[in-house]
Amino acid sequence: NNHVIEGADEIIINFTDGSKLKVTKVLGHDPKTDLALLKVEPAHPLKAAKFGDSSKMRVGDWVMAIGNPFGLGGTVTVGIISATKRDINSGPYDDFLQTDAAINRGNSGGPLFNLNGDVIGINTAIISPSGGSIGIGFAVPSKIAVAVIDQLQKYGETRRGWLGVRIQQVTDEIADSLGIKPARGALIAGIDDKGPAKPAGIEAGDVVVKFDGQDIKEMRDLPRIVADTPVGKDVEVIVIRKGKEETKTVKLGRLEDGEKAQQASLTPKKDEPAEKSVTQKALGLNLANMSDDLRKRYKIKDSIKGVVITGVDASSPAADKRLQAGFVVVELQQQAVSTAADFQSRIERLKKEGKKTAVLLIANPDGDTQFVALSLN
């Protein structure tokens, strides 16, 4: 694991026969999957365990972990796979195997074997209030590890695909409002101006349901599949736009080291007093037409167009969604909003049509966007 060797001045490998070897080179490391590749130069060939196929592992399959818990090297524990594809919010590509085989501090980087003696995981994390094993441990699947290790060996770094979008989960509310049944895919909340998605014609509000022939069942599937796709490849992307499927072709870029796997987040620059002269009220929001005064007051970028939120009813669903004064309503139901009166009249129309929710595209003063579904009741 990368976290075991990160920042080390010297790394020594201890073998089961008592011998030790100094690491001559760190060939590469990848903090996003917490993997590192080390090189030693032994006098005689070392025996190697081979990687197996983690995608064949099922819940209930027996596994064995070997590690160095509490300094007790070579400790073996057994258990079963208790979950696959587990997301523990440790990184953008979480896809862990979960096991109840005892994993403790000191097990990090150790192998998780199947009953054939193949390494199907690299033990990397535990969840524990006490610090000891409570039967909830996690391993990086070999399918992910092998690909990362191969790139570290070839290039000394990872080379991941990059789409250049900010995404968010397609909730039941958003799916209902956009006419997507069942709820699925990844909702594009924003487009990077310099990313590959923009020239391909992908827009905010599109829902990606298939990427390079693979179904996108939920938001977190997309970053992982994009990252595993070769840089420079022309990829077919199927999106749902205003209820209809469209196919786009994207020439995939490369996720640079400084590029963060972005999920839409909204943070105002600082709390500002609410504007006193409110034009309209709707859905618990005080809304005013955009003006130079409001731009200056909330430090809203010139490129942002829409209706300014100048206050939020603390007891409204809008407050629960963390909308704040200074945010801007850019779109309502994927159509641009120009005035507060226009917004209110369209909300009334949606209510008369029997709609239960309205989907708003919200921008913060810096221009970061996110879709928010608000109840019309």
Side-chain angles (χ1 to χ4, degrees), residues 1-2 26-38 51 54 92-96 122 140-161 223-224 227-229 254-255 257:
N1 281 138
N2 177 64
V26 176
L27 294 176
H29 62 104
D30 178 40
K32 289 185 173 76
T33 53
D34 195 21
L35 295 172
L37 184 62
L38 315 177
F51 280 106
S54 58
Y93 310 118
D94 280 14
D95 194 27
F96 291 109
I122 297 175
V140 178
S142 59
K143 189 175 180 181
I144 290 177
V146 167
V148 171
I149 290 166
D150 182 53
Q151 289 194 342
L152 294 180
Q153 190 166 359
K154 283 181 182 176
Y155 313 118
E157 60 185 357
T158 53
R159 297 187 176 182
R160 293 187 168 98
R224 194 165 56 241
D228 290 342
T229 305
R254 181 182 169 191
L255 183 69
D257 293 338

Side-chain angles (χ1 to χ4, degrees), residues 184-186 202 206-216 222 235-241 244-250:
R184 67 191 191 281
I202 294 174
D206 289 347
V207 176
V208 179
V209 292
K210 189 169 278 193
F211 185 91
D212 199 19
Q214 299 184 65
D215 289 332
I216 307 298
L222 186 61
V235 178
E236 273 198 356
V237 183
I238 297 178
V239 302
I240 296 177
R241 181 180 295 173
K244 295 181 180 179
E245 283 193 358
E246 296 185 18
T247 301
K248 306 291 181 184
T249 301
V250 179

Side-chain angles (χ1 to χ4, degrees), residues 27 95 98 132 214 234 247 256 270 339 347 353 355 368:
L27 294 176
D95 194 27
Q98 182 180 325
Q214 299 184 65
D234 290 321
T247 301
E256 301 297 337
K270 59 182 179 179
T339 67
I347 289 295
E353 291 171 0
K355 299 285 187 183
D368 294 330

